[in-house]
Amino acid sequence: MKEAGNNFQELANFIWSVADLLRGPYRPPQYERVMLPMTVLRRFDCVLESTKAEVVKRFHQLEGGKVRNIDPILNKVAGGGEDLGFHNHSELDFRRLKGDPDHMGRHLTRYMDGFSENVRKIFERFEFDKEIEKLEEANRLYLVVAKFAEIDLHPGRVDNITMGLIFEDLIRRFNEAANETAGDHFTPREVIRLMVNLLLEPDSHMLTTEGVIATVCDPACGTGGMLSEAQNWIRQHNEGARVLVYGQDYNPRSYAVAASDLLIKGHKGNSRIEFGNTLTDDKFPGERFDYLLANPPFGVDWKAEQKEISKRSSFRGYTGKLPRVNDGA
């Protein structure tokens, strides 16, 4: 499967077929521990491929020099002169990783260590280092990496909307395998589009004005589908609009997917995806946004947060009766 195209179902099926290699050391509900980070890693690899040689060359020129923080310099080289927001200065990539199957674990770890700090932090949330060890012990690591090397996930071939659909389809399958509700982690796109239309259509006269800046927040963003669709709606109606998105999620793998998607889309500066529990660890305290939309985890209790919240004189200014503890929404 050399060319990915934009058929998200075909791609999702291919990635799911790779998950069959995990059978044995992993149970189906555990496949996401490997498949989500590997998909994100391959997408980063494809984005960086065209400028890889220049980044490695510049890294060796800067290595051991007086510049302490070389990330901004290499990020710009990775973007061909424009700040891409991330880079990888390792000489390795998926193609080269396939060349030494006997030392795949060591090489893959070294490759990931070559990313800029912001990408390394994303993979810390995936806790992928543990899975690398497990896969290598089970003699599965090379097989999985070699399969992922066959697909091209560059945004020029698989746009961000298609990539979001792929992640959501995979998460749905993972949750079905675990007998969980996929809605705890993402919302179907047709539902999101309806919500976005209901929220933004009344303001279309403002959002289509020249130079408009719009801020959108999702405090339970999952993999970021609502933020993506809101941004798409505004830009479809106004290509010159500046859309700043803010999201937070307490599921580490969902957060990592959303944060990596934000980087690949080229968001720098004010837009942010944060990790943490919105109820007890709000990452945007005191900040205000033009629009807020969310599909919080309906039916999931908030007993773990109840003790801390009950100590407060108000919940972010609200002094009325709080909802039942069995519904965290």
Side-chain angles (χ1 to χ4, degrees), residues 290-304:
D290 297 319
Y291 302 98
L292 184 144
L293 72 168
N295 179 16
F298 291 98
V300 178
D301 69 58
W302 52 284
K303 290 178 183 177

Side-chain angles (χ1 to χ4, degrees), residues 6 19 25 44 72 120 134 165 239-240 297-298:
N6 279 332
F44 274 124
R120 293 200 305 272
K134 185 173 180 177
L165 293 172
E239 291 184 0
F298 291 98

Side-chain angles (χ1 to χ4, degrees), residues 36 40 122 126 167 171 222-223 252-262:
L36 291 182
V40 170
I122 288 172
F126 277 127
F167 280 123
I171 289 171
T223 57
R253 282 186 280 272
S254 294
Y255 154 79
V257 170
S260 62
D261 183 59
L262 195 73

Side-chain angles (χ1 to χ4, degrees), residues 228-277:
S228 294
E229 288 296 336
Q231 178 179 268
N232 292 338
W233 191 97
I234 295 172
R235 289 197 170 153
Q236 284 171 4
H237 289 75
N238 184 355
E239 291 184 0
R242 186 182 178 201
V243 188
L244 305 177
V245 296
Y246 304 81
Q248 181 171 342
D249 204 85
Y250 71 158
N251 179 291
R253 282 186 280 272
S254 294
Y255 154 79
V257 170
S260 62
D261 183 59
L262 195 73
L263 271 180
I264 289 171
K265 283 178 178 174
H267 280 285
K268 298 179 286 293
N270 291 334
S271 292
R272 285 160 36 216
I273 301 292
E274 299 284 356
F275 175 73
N277 189 320

Side-chain angles (χ1 to χ4, degrees), residues 59-106:
F59 169 72
H60 288 308
Q61 291 171 347
L62 295 168
E63 194 176 17
K66 295 181 179 180
V67 181
R68 298 186 66 180
N69 182 14
I70 63 175
D71 277 7
I73 299 173
L74 296 180
N75 291 349
K76 195 168 183 178
V77 178
E82 182 179 346
D83 184 5
L84 186 63
F86 58 94
H87 75 272
N88 184 297
H89 58 252
S90 165
E91 295 182 359
L92 295 165
D93 55 21
F94 269 67
R95 181 173 55 82
R96 291 181 176 86
L97 284 168
K98 288 177 61 178
D100 190 2
D102 294 333
H103 303 95
M104 179 62 76
R106 185 176 67 196

